[in-house]
Amino acid sequence: MPPKKGSKAAKKAEEAARRAEEERLAALVEQERLERERLDREEEERRLAEEKRMWLEHEGKRLTEEKILVEPLLTERAEKLLKETQERAAEEEWENFINCTHLPDVRKESEISTYLALWEEDHDTDLHRILKETQQAIDVMMGLDILVSQSMAMKNEELTVKYRGYIKKLRKLVEVKTDYATAHMLEHLDKHINTQDNTCKVFNTTPMQKYGIWVNIAKNLRLKTIEYPELGLMTDIPRPIILASVAVRMIHYRLDPLSPFEMGEFFTVGGVLFIEVLDVPDRPKVVKAHVPDVKDPGSWAMIRISDTRGCVERQQYPAVDPITGLINAASPPMTVHYTLPADVLMPQGVTPRLGWWNVEKKEGKGDWDEEGISDVWLETKESGEKVLNFTTLHLTAVAILQSRWSSFPYKSWMLQPMGPNASMLTVEFAGHLQVKFEVGEGRCRLVWPNDEALRPLREKPVPAMQLLQQLIFHGINLLPCNDDADQISTKRMDMTKCLKNQQLEERVCQGVSLLAPSFAICCSPLNATLGEKEACLKLAASTDYQSAPLEADDPNFRTMMFRSAELDYCFMLEPAQEAAVLSEDGKIYDRDGINLTPPTVGLETKSIPLTAMQELMYEDAAIQRCKKSSAAFTEQVRVMMEAMRLLSFVEAPLTGEPADDEVEGGNHKGDAAAEEEGAEEGGGAEGAEG
């Protein structure tokens, strides 16, 4: 029975029906509104897409025409670079010829192969002659290292692998030859014993290696140390060694023979010191000969012939129990005092990190291990010599370890012209530390630090990549790789987001190097988080080489941005955009959080930085100086910038949310929807699209 008209139930039913109808009508209106918005949005997207397509088509044609115009200049410079490179190679070949060396020419594969084959077939047993030959082999390796640097600068991976293969073969031969001569010496020990005090100690030193071996003849418990003043080396003798018929061999190689090409956590500084315990074979048994009617028939030396003859037998220390397989924990350590090479850069007051080569790490490939080395300290004498003191439980290869990414990220960098074909590259690290390079025609040299250990790098200019490789030899690594970015990331900055696309990085370094004769170039604080397909840096004309160097905050600097997407181009930021102080996720903001990200359409783009700077109507003399500069000079600028990864490994000084005292009442990123929408009307940020 339906509710009576006018009853409470009837009124409630009518109210519910009315509300339902209103909701239905409102839903229809909302649906119609959403549909209109969708259609409008799709129409706007089609309009923007068509606008971008037309811009890309027009700009692509214009950039192609611009490239055609600059192609003769680039071709001419490439030919000049080839000619200058060939002239330097001819000079080096002539110098090698007049030196009258019997060593192979490392640039000729046939000579290297012949040298390896002949030396491998030679079975000389004289220890001192062998050490002279191993030094010559090290000289050849150093020549091959220079070729490795050249092939890396040219990004020729095939040549790099080939030259490193030769280096590995030579290192193996050095080890084999040294072991063979050592084994022969131990098998004929009587020739080397000092009969006056019944001791046996042999040493030899060459420019890149030091060799010393002590043989326990007398087992004298009062003997406490082994000292080689000529080698700058002294060790104590643990009791288990003084009681055994063993030899202690110590070899220092200035070049790392174990991990020179490894990309692990550490690289070695100052070379590698091998401390090894060797088994001493039974000494020859002398038997007097018996010849009738001969007064002194002489004697026979009877030598045991075994499968190990001609090979050294290394004994593990500390010893391993043959039954349990456990290391004897009671074995005392050895204390070592070693004078470091003069060319090793060691900061004052810093305790070095030491490691021993653990062959069981990395699935049997071996790696450095710090456990078991203690009491490390560095003593600096009045003469300036640095003596490394440490105690080690492991008698094997020992080396000073340096973190491979300790110099990263960079804080800032600047390239300042010093002349038509010379620039000063300054790179700043954390703690206000600096490295300065003078970049010239085909050669670079270190200017700062002025530490005595780095004197050779300040005195002799060498090609850029070779100089950076030599810095590693002395203890400074400025050659980062992509894997390093993860290791140096912090909560404040994820350095993996700072990495640039390789093609973009190469294009920027190639293009900017042409401006080095007339423009100061420095890093931009906005570059770090623009994304992998965008990069920017700052430029300012600097043709008065006698004036004071520009500062990074000089108002004459303009910011140039590079993009790599549908088109590869560069363009100058507008003055308003240069006011940006923050960057994150490919977008840039001013102090009030307003989005200043340049659009991706409607820009005045250029194919290379030189034409962009020419468009700004800089004085013609500056542009002409860039065009007429030495190709060898600009190539060195390119190699330095690209090898040091100056676009990918500079920390952003301002990132993330700004501090409260940095925002003065303006809208920040979360409230900047209107500005962001305005940017999207122009096509959106390239970094956001990525």
Side-chain angles (χ1 to χ4, degrees):
M1 179 177 180
K4 294 181 180 181
K5 189 174 182 180
S7 66
K8 291 183 178 181
K11 291 181 179 179
K12 288 182 179 180
E14 290 176 2
E15 181 66 21
R18 184 183 63 79
R19 284 200 303 267
E21 180 64 16
E22 289 177 353
E23 291 175 358
R24 185 184 69 82
L25 293 175
L28 289 175
V29 171
E30 179 66 14
Q31 184 178 357
E32 291 177 358
R33 186 186 69 80
L34 293 175
E35 181 64 15
R36 286 196 305 272
E37 289 182 355
R38 184 185 67 82
L39 294 174
D40 291 344
R41 186 168 59 252
E42 290 179 353
E43 178 62 26
E44 180 66 10
E45 289 175 352
R46 283 193 294 270
R47 184 188 69 80
L48 292 176
E50 178 62 17
E51 180 182 341
K52 187 172 184 178
R53 185 194 66 78
M54 293 178 63
W55 181 80
L56 288 173
E57 181 179 351
H58 174 269
E59 201 66 10
K61 291 180 180 178
R62 195 191 60 75
L63 288 173
T64 301
E65 293 173 356
E66 182 183 320
K67 290 178 181 177
I68 294 174
L69 292 177
V70 299
E71 185 65 29
L73 172 64
L74 300 180
T75 301
E76 178 187 357
R77 295 188 63 81
E79 292 174 352
K80 286 173 60 178
L81 176 61
L82 178 61
K83 181 180 179 182
E84 292 171 358
T85 303
Q86 291 174 341
E87 290 175 351
R88 286 196 303 273
E91 292 176 1
E92 292 173 359
E93 187 172 359
W94 174 249
E95 289 178 2
N96 187 57
F97 175 76
I98 63 177
N99 285 336
C100 298
T101 177
H102 66 281
L103 296 179
D105 187 341
V106 293
R107 293 166 298 181
K108 298 179 180 178
E109 188 173 356
S110 59
E111 293 191 20
I112 290 291
S113 299
T114 302
Y115 173 77
L116 285 168
L118 293 176
W119 195 34
E120 189 172 10
E121 293 174 358
D122 184 29
H123 297 291
D124 194 352
T125 58
D126 184 270
L127 182 60
H128 296 283
R129 281 200 302 268
I130 287 297
L131 292 175
K132 182 179 180 181
E133 292 176 5
T134 55
Q135 173 60 48
Q136 293 170 350
I138 293 173
D139 293 339
V140 175
M141 283 189 272
M142 295 174 68
L144 288 167
D145 271 331
I146 295 176
L147 296 186
V148 168
S149 301
Q150 293 175 0
S151 61
M152 290 175 64
M154 296 185 296
K155 291 174 285 189
N156 190 326
E157 184 66 23
E158 182 179 354
L159 282 179
T160 301
V161 171
K162 182 176 74 172
Y163 294 140
R164 283 180 171 175
Y166 286 136
I167 293 174
K168 290 177 181 178
K169 290 180 180 179
L170 281 167
R171 284 201 170 106
K172 184 62 178 177
L173 273 177
V174 166
E175 178 187 355
V176 170
K177 295 292 183 180
T178 305
D179 282 353
Y180 187 77
T182 301
H184 185 271
M185 173 232 164
L186 294 175
E187 291 165 358
H188 301 80
L189 201 56
D190 291 342
K191 300 178 181 179
H192 305 279
I193 295 177
N194 186 336
T195 56
Q196 294 182 354
D197 55 7
N198 196 30
T199 60
C200 181
K201 188 170 67 171
V202 178
F203 64 90
N204 192 298
T205 180
T206 68
M208 299 298 288
Q209 61 183 354
K210 297 177 180 179
Y211 181 101
I213 185 169
W214 168 83
V215 185
N216 190 10
I217 301 295
K219 299 181 182 178
N220 183 0
L221 293 176
R222 291 179 296 178
L223 185 62
K224 302 298 183 183
T225 61
I226 308 172
E227 187 171 1
Y228 294 96
E230 302 82 1
L231 307 183
L233 179 64
M234 184 177 71
T235 68
D236 67 359
I237 309 175
R239 186 176 180 84
I241 292 179
I242 200 65
L243 295 176
S245 296
V246 296
V248 178
R249 184 177 67 173
M250 289 162 280
I251 308 177
H252 178 262
Y253 292 110
R254 186 61 184 87
L255 293 179
D256 180 0
L258 295 174
S259 58
F261 311 132
E262 298 295 325
M263 299 298 285
E265 180 180 358
F266 302 107
F267 67 96
T268 61
V269 179
V272 177
L273 176 63
F274 286 81
I275 306 175
E276 299 172 310
V277 180
L278 307 180
D279 188 31
V280 177
D282 295 337
R283 293 167 65 178
K285 184 177 181 181
V286 179
V287 179
K288 188 173 182 180
H290 177 69
V291 180
D293 302 327
V294 176
K295 184 177 181 180
D296 186 10
S299 59
W300 293 90
M302 302 179 66
I303 301 175
R304 181 185 296 274
I305 304 298
S306 66
D307 295 338
T308 60
R309 189 166 186 264
C311 303
V312 295
E313 293 188 55
R314 294 171 174 84
Q315 293 190 6
Q316 184 169 343
Y317 188 92
V320 176
D321 190 294
I323 299 176
T324 63
L326 299 176
I327 293 177
N328 185 1
S331 298
M334 174 183 281
T335 301
V336 181
H337 310 275
Y338 179 60
T339 303
L340 295 176
D343 58 1
V344 176
L345 182 64
M346 295 299 299
Q348 291 289 342
V350 177
T351 301
R353 298 179 66 174
L354 262 67
W356 59 279
W357 187 252
N358 188 342
V359 295
E360 297 180 357
K361 296 188 75 172
K362 287 190 176 180
E363 300 179 353
K365 295 180 180 179
D367 199 5
W368 296 105
D369 193 335
E370 297 180 78
E371 185 179 355
I373 297 181
S374 59
D375 301 329
V376 180
W377 62 287
L378 190 64
E379 175 188 3
T380 302
K381 295 187 175 181
E382 294 182 359
S383 61
E385 290 183 334
K386 295 181 175 65
V387 179
L388 181 65
N389 307 274
F390 62 94
T391 299
T392 176
L393 190 61
H394 303 277
L395 301 190
T396 179
V398 180
I400 300 175
L401 305 179
Q402 174 74 1
S403 172
R404 198 161 52 83
W405 43 77
S406 60
S407 299
F408 313 126
Y410 310 125
K411 301 295 290 185
S412 64
W413 61 269
M414 177 176 286
L415 186 71
Q416 180 76 34
M418 298 171 56
N421 293 308
S423 288
M424 181 71 71
L425 174 61
T426 303
V427 182
E428 184 175 349
F429 309 96
H432 303 288
L433 301 176
Q434 286 186 341
V435 173
K436 294 185 178 182
F437 302 97
E438 182 182 304
V439 185
E441 294 186 65
R443 296 286 188 272
C444 305
R445 72 176 185 91
L446 184 71
V447 176
W448 187 267
N450 65 344
D451 193 283
E452 184 64 24
L454 301 176
R455 177 190 290 271
L457 306 187
R458 295 194 300 271
E459 293 181 342
K460 183 180 179 181
V462 295
M465 186 63 77
Q466 184 179 340
L467 176 58
L468 295 174
Q469 292 282 6
Q470 288 180 352
L471 271 176
I472 296 178
F473 177 81
H474 291 275
I476 303 175
N477 178 33
L478 299 180
L479 293 174
C481 64
N482 284 352
D483 292 341
D484 296 337
D486 184 56
Q487 301 296 332
I488 61 177
S489 295
T490 62
K491 292 182 179 179
R492 177 177 177 269
M493 167 61 70
D494 183 357
M495 289 301 298
T496 60
K497 294 182 179 180
C498 301
L499 298 176
K500 304 302 179 184
N501 175 276
Q502 181 180 352
Q503 180 184 1
L504 172 65
E505 200 165 10
E506 292 175 356
R507 182 167 63 87
V508 175
C509 294
Q510 178 72 50
V512 169
S513 66
L514 293 176
L515 300 178
S518 299
F519 292 86
I521 308 166
C522 71
C523 60
S524 167
L526 304 177
N527 176 68
T529 57
L530 285 176
E532 66 172 0
K533 295 184 178 181
E534 291 183 321
C536 65
L537 42 73
K538 297 163 66 176
L539 305 110
S542 179
T543 55
D544 184 1
Y545 305 132
Q546 304 302 321
S547 61
L550 297 178
E551 298 293 336
D553 57 356
D554 192 292
N556 291 315
F557 273 106
R558 294 290 308 276
T559 302
M560 179 179 289
M561 180 171 281
F562 298 79
R563 281 177 174 166
S564 180
E566 296 95 336
L567 295 176
D568 293 334
Y569 57 84
C570 62
F571 62 97
M572 304 301 298
L573 290 184
E574 297 295 331
Q577 295 168 334
E578 290 184 327
V581 295
L582 299 170
S583 65
E584 186 172 6
D585 296 331
K587 299 177 183 179
I588 61 176
Y589 304 88
D590 67 4
R591 187 171 294 276
D592 295 329
I594 297 176
N595 188 357
L596 301 178
T597 307
T600 56
V601 298
L603 295 169
E604 296 184 9
T605 67
K606 296 296 178 182
S607 61
I608 62 173
L610 185 64
T611 55
M613 302 308 285
Q614 193 170 5
E615 185 74 14
L616 289 177
M617 300 182 67
Y618 276 103
E619 54 182 293
D620 187 60
I623 301 300
Q624 291 303 317
R625 184 178 289 125
C626 293
K627 292 180 178 180
K628 295 179 180 179
S629 63
S630 166
F633 163 62
T634 56
E635 174 66 7
Q636 294 302 294
V637 173
R638 179 197 69 80
V639 172
M640 289 292 282
M641 292 184 63
E642 193 173 316
M644 294 176 66
R645 305 292 300 277
L646 295 181
L647 293 171
S648 293
F649 280 84
V650 177
E651 181 182 31
L654 294 173
T655 58
E657 297 289 331
D660 293 337
D661 58 352
E662 292 181 342
V663 180
E664 300 176 1
N667 295 329
H668 190 51
K669 291 177 293 183
D671 303 320
E675 281 74 13
E676 191 166 331
E677 182 178 351
E680 290 175 354
E681 290 181 358
E686 192 72 25
E689 289 182 356

